[in-house]
Amino acid sequence: MAGKIAKRMNNRLVQASVDFANVFKAFNGTNYLALAFAFLQSGLILGLIGLLVITIVTDHCCQLIVKCKYLVVDQIINEFVSKQGIHDVASPKIGKLRERLERHLTYGDIARKSLGIWGLYVVNFALFFTQFFFCIAYMIFLGNTLQTNLFPFVNQTSETSLNELQSQKKNNTIVDVQPYARVTTAPAFPILVLFPLPLFLLFVLLRNVRSMGPISVVANISIFLGYGVVLTSLIKGFAVDDSVEYFKFATFPVFFGAVSCMYEGIGTIIPIESSMAENRPKYPSFLHGSLMLLFVMLGSLGVLGYLKYGDDVEQILIQNLPANTVFSYIANVTICIGVAFTYPLTVYPIIEILENILFTEGRIFGPNVTKLLVNIKNDNERAPLLSSNSFSAEDIDVSDLIPVAKTVPDSVATWKRNVVRISMVLIQTGFAIIFKDQFIYINAINGSIGSTLLAYILPAVISIKLLRKKMSNLVFAKDVFLILFGVVGGLSGLIVSIYNMVKHFQGQS
């Protein structure tokens, strides 16, 4: 008996650890390597304040959207029960429907039920935008890292240096001109971006997100190893650079957008919370712990990196590490593996949105609409959830009470879906080549548009829509503040980031 109890407690501990890891993984990517450059945009003190505020607001808004999910579930159940004339709301069948909703309702479903069809469109746009630009940032990161860190440099004779040396010798002046230049042996950036392309094309052909589990494990391990190596390298020989500033308000919006982008888990927090089953009550504490841990990771690398390198800090921190050292190679290899193996989890929501637009019933390339039945005994497949017409023991006739979670029919040819997936990866590769020197600004624009919508604005808008008649004036003012926080921060981040990108392109021309 005692052995069974111990085994049960051990299983619960393991499952709780897995659920915490999933919550943390939703927010943990490789964007921490850009935070030192983000501190260059904000200054040290203003950056620390901004990082803390954004962490707290993100935590609150994640809790808020989950609260809104359960309000929507209650609303759907009440409407369904009223329409069907059911009096026994505690019946097992209603319980099954509630469990199905709690397990499969998405961010887009919540927005559609509370805000209408345009709510769904806005959520899908923001999800598509953020994930698409995350993928572009990953490709930029890989190309730049391969080019600057993983290929050796050689001493190559510089014709300019030799001419200058000979000229100054004729004038009998003392010179300090090196007759050679340090040149990388790496191929051109567009070629390097193509290196991981076969792996990415293979990843996008995966049909089931569950098959990505081992890939996610590899990504987590690699990212943590890379973090440890970079942190160790920063501490080794640490000294504060003279160029460090404490407040830089003019470019702070770039910091806001970049850091908002770094908390990239808001788009997946609903499905992760839904998957936690018996651990759902622990979700708030798991979220608090995950964001606090991420705050420490971001803050440590951001502060140490900016203090050590000052104005010379690179957009990708590992480019500041000494080249051709053991630490440098370990950091670059592990982080590159982490980025490459994070790609399939990031690209999957884009694939899902695109295929739903193109191939579901009644859509552009999809089959004609047919009547769909859902068996409530089979909860493995996602499908529309509730009926507006009938309620039998076995099947529910699905219509549009809440037409959510459509899937691509089996009748759609596999080659059509593959063409869309491969084309999307090639388009991302093209953008990565165009914006190869804009890593931080791509992240800042991404955060200013997609992340502010998903993380700050929409949770507050949905909360007001669902609870305005019941909420106090103080809570209403708080939600309005969150909306303004997202709108003002997002717009200013977008404008300043685009301005800096245009300046960079003009400087190259």
Side-chain angles (χ1 to χ4, degrees), residues 156-341:
Q156 186 178 83
T157 300
S158 170
E159 184 176 344
T160 301
S161 297
L162 286 175
N163 291 339
E164 183 179 354
L165 181 62
Q166 292 168 358
S167 173
Q168 294 189 19
K169 279 184 176 179
K170 289 179 180 179
N171 297 327
N172 294 318
T173 58
I174 299 174
V175 296
D176 184 20
V177 179
Q178 295 293 337
Y180 58 82
R182 296 279 288 167
V183 179
T184 181
T185 58
F189 181 88
I191 297 175
L192 290 169
V193 171
L194 299 179
F195 277 21
L197 191 60
L199 185 64
F200 290 164
L201 293 175
L202 179 63
F203 283 153
V204 296
L205 298 181
L206 294 174
R207 290 287 186 268
N208 190 343
V209 72
R210 289 180 179 175
S211 61
M212 301 180 191
I215 297 173
S216 179
V217 171
V218 173
N220 273 328
I221 294 173
S222 300
I223 287 171
F224 271 109
L225 283 174
Y227 168 78
V229 172
V230 173
L231 184 63
T232 303
S233 182
L234 288 175
I235 295 173
K236 186 178 179 181
F238 178 79
V240 177
D241 189 86
D242 294 335
S243 63
V244 171
E245 297 183 42
Y246 296 103
F247 296 91
K248 298 174 73 173
F249 292 97
T251 50
F252 177 78
V254 177
F255 175 93
F256 177 89
V259 174
S260 295
C261 178
M262 291 172 194
Y263 287 100
E264 58 189 69
I266 185 65
T268 58
I269 210 66
I270 290 294
I272 288 174
E273 187 272 343
S274 298
S275 71
M276 290 174 63
E278 70 277 1
N279 284 325
R280 285 179 197 164
K282 299 177 182 177
Y283 162 78
S285 59
F286 284 3
L287 181 68
H288 295 324
S290 296
L291 291 183
M292 181 56 65
L293 180 57
L294 188 61
F295 173 80
V296 172
M297 289 180 64
L298 292 174
S300 59
L301 291 191
V303 170
L304 291 175
Y306 178 53
L307 285 176
K308 186 170 184 176
Y309 298 111
D311 288 346
D312 294 326
V313 70
E314 297 287 349
Q315 293 187 33
I316 302 172
L317 183 58
I318 54 176
Q319 293 180 0
N320 284 107
L321 302 184
N324 301 323
T325 65
V326 174
F327 274 118
S328 175
Y329 280 119
I330 293 176
N332 284 287
V333 170
T334 54
I335 293 173
C336 282
I337 292 173
V339 171
F341 281 75

Side-chain angles (χ1 to χ4, degrees), residues 78 144 156 158 186 243 289 390 476:
N78 291 337
N144 280 313
Q156 186 178 83
S158 170
S243 63
S390 65
F476 176 73

Side-chain angles (χ1 to χ4, degrees), residues 280-437:
R280 285 179 197 164
K282 299 177 182 177
Y283 162 78
S285 59
F286 284 3
L287 181 68
H288 295 324
S290 296
L291 291 183
M292 181 56 65
L293 180 57
L294 188 61
F295 173 80
V296 172
M297 289 180 64
L298 292 174
S300 59
L301 291 191
V303 170
L304 291 175
Y306 178 53
L307 285 176
K308 186 170 184 176
Y309 298 111
D311 288 346
D312 294 326
V313 70
E314 297 287 349
Q315 293 187 33
I316 302 172
L317 183 58
I318 54 176
Q319 293 180 0
N320 284 107
L321 302 184
N324 301 323
T325 65
V326 174
F327 274 118
S328 175
Y329 280 119
I330 293 176
N332 284 287
V333 170
T334 54
I335 293 173
C336 282
I337 292 173
V339 171
F341 281 75
T342 300
Y343 180 85
L345 299 171
T346 305
V347 81
Y348 193 83
I350 309 174
I351 293 171
E352 193 173 50
I353 291 171
L354 271 180
E355 291 191 344
N356 282 341
I357 291 173
L358 296 174
F359 298 127
T360 51
E361 290 187 335
R363 295 301 177 91
I364 303 172
F365 301 112
N368 295 328
V369 177
T370 58
K371 200 169 190 179
L372 181 63
L373 294 179
V374 175
N375 191 312
I376 62 175
K377 289 184 177 180
N378 181 8
D379 200 35
N380 294 324
E381 298 295 330
R382 296 191 60 211
L385 302 175
L386 292 182
S387 164
S388 61
N389 297 319
S390 65
F391 183 70
S392 65
E394 300 299 329
D395 295 303
I396 299 174
D397 181 34
V398 178
S399 65
D400 61 353
L401 180 59
I402 178 166
V404 298
K406 291 184 178 181
T407 56
V408 177
D410 293 335
S411 59
V412 175
T414 300
W415 70 265
K416 293 182 180 179
R417 300 174 68 177
N418 289 344
V419 166
V420 170
R421 293 172 180 225
I422 292 172
S423 299
M424 180 193 59
V425 177
L426 296 178
I427 291 171
Q428 290 171 349
T429 304
F431 276 111
I433 293 172
I434 294 172
F435 298 111
K436 70 182 184 72
D437 297 321

Side-chain angles (χ1 to χ4, degrees), residues 93-110:
K93 296 182 181 66
I94 293 295
K96 287 182 180 180
L97 289 176
R98 179 179 293 278
E99 176 61 25
R100 187 179 182 87
L101 284 166
E102 290 179 355
R103 185 175 298 178
H104 294 307
L105 213 63
T106 68
Y107 200 149
D109 302 332
I110 297 167

